[in-house]
Amino acid sequence: MQNSHERLGRFTIVLAGLLAVAIVMFGCGVAAAEQTVVASSTVESVVVPSPEPTATETPNLQRVTVKYDYTPAKSIAEMFEASSVVVFGRVTGMVDQIDMATWAGSSSGNYELGRVYEIEVVEYLRGDGPEAITFVQAEAHYRYGELTDDAIAEIRASTPDYENGVPKFDEDYVFFLRKWHVDWRHFIAARWPDRVWFQAGKGIVEGNLSDSASRFTPFDSDELWVSLRELQDRFTPEPTEPILPGSGNDGR
């Protein structure tokens, strides 16, 4: 009987100990849970802002980036062959600014700033023409809700989109051009890139789009001119003899 009481006492002690441990562990779990709740309530959610459009001063006017779908020329020969006119000369200045989107019949709500540059021609390497010609290149794009005079003024004051987009004035260039089908008074690039700038004994290929000239390394100017003369000879039509009456080649 005594042994039964002793065993019951030991069991009671053990049970009490287990109950105490359980109470302690439960208390720790509640505290941990409370800390988790507090911690989560103090963490602020991070919102990654969307890229903001290019700011403009005029309401309903937004500067946009246009990605062209094109295949850049891989060689000077490709640029030459694609051109109807290849000229050596200098850009004397900008003579006009136009909306190329409107001229090309695009839908309203888009404005493509085209700057018109004048080239003083020293020599025609392909084709022929006057001593001064004009060419147009797109240099900025906008969407607009209303094309007001203020909006047009802001567009025309904008800077070019592309690195090396603006030709340097009064510097030696060779341009690879074709007639602009929208307005035959002006030329546009036959391919991108569309010109070579001669500077410090080097021929540096440039284009309105910065990546169009990335595959070209600077040429030695003398070697480049040899290549240009060879291309000039290849693409210059053979002169035809005039047909003179009584000469035997007039069909009589």
Side-chain angles (χ1 to χ4, degrees):
M1 191 71 172
Q2 183 179 358
N3 290 336
S4 297
H5 285 296
E6 289 177 355
R7 285 196 296 271
L8 182 59
R10 286 196 296 269
F11 176 76
T12 302
I13 293 171
V14 171
L15 184 60
L18 292 173
L19 183 60
V21 171
I23 291 172
V24 171
M25 293 181 65
F26 178 76
C28 292
V30 171
E34 289 177 349
Q35 290 178 0
T36 302
V37 172
V38 171
S40 62
S41 66
T42 57
V43 175
E44 296 181 359
S45 60
V46 178
V47 178
V48 179
S50 300
E52 295 183 0
T54 303
T56 64
E57 298 294 333
T58 305
N60 299 321
L61 181 65
Q62 180 183 357
R63 183 78 174 269
V64 295
T65 300
V66 174
K67 183 174 179 59
Y68 289 94
D69 183 14
Y70 75 102
T71 302
K74 300 181 180 66
S75 66
I76 297 294
E78 280 189 31
M79 296 159 63
F80 201 106
E81 185 173 6
S83 305
S84 57
V85 166
V86 180
V87 297
F88 171 59
R90 294 187 166 203
V91 178
T92 56
M94 183 183 70
V95 295
D96 199 3
Q97 300 186 85
I98 61 176
D99 178 8
M100 296 180 71
T102 299
W103 284 33
S106 300
S107 61
S108 62
N110 295 285
Y111 193 107
E112 184 176 12
L113 173 63
R115 288 196 168 102
V116 184
Y117 297 95
E118 185 177 70
I119 302 174
E120 183 182 86
V121 180
V122 175
E123 181 183 359
Y124 282 86
L125 303 180
R126 186 175 189 183
D128 55 28
E131 296 180 353
I133 61 175
T134 52
F135 82 101
V136 189
Q137 65 176 18
E139 294 181 4
H141 299 80
Y142 287 87
R143 293 194 185 100
Y144 61 87
E146 182 181 2
L147 195 59
T148 62
D149 291 341
D150 289 342
I152 293 175
E154 182 176 344
I155 289 171
R156 293 188 170 184
S158 66
T159 56
D161 278 339
Y162 311 109
E163 183 181 358
N164 296 325
V166 176
K168 301 163 186 64
F169 295 172
D170 299 320
E171 296 283 343
D172 290 339
Y173 275 99
V174 168
F175 284 87
F176 303 84
L177 306 171
R178 64 178 175 84
K179 282 286 189 181
W180 189 25
H181 68 282
V182 176
D183 187 337
W184 287 86
R185 295 173 301 171
H186 304 309
F187 290 88
I188 60 172
R191 289 282 297 272
W192 282 320
D194 62 348
R195 57 185 179 264
V196 179
W197 172 41
F198 290 91
Q199 193 266 342
K202 298 292 182 183
I204 301 170
V205 177
E206 293 182 352
N208 191 28
L209 302 182
S210 59
D211 61 345
S212 66
S214 61
R215 68 182 66 236
F216 290 89
T217 56
F219 294 92
D220 176 82
S221 293
D222 293 337
E223 294 177 0
L224 179 57
W225 270 110
V226 171
S227 299
L228 289 170
R229 293 303 183 192
E230 291 174 352
L231 290 166
Q232 182 181 19
D233 292 341
R234 186 195 309 177
F235 290 101
T236 299
E238 293 292 334
T240 57
E241 294 183 3
I243 298 176
L244 302 176
S247 63
N249 61 356
D250 59 351
R252 294 182 183 179

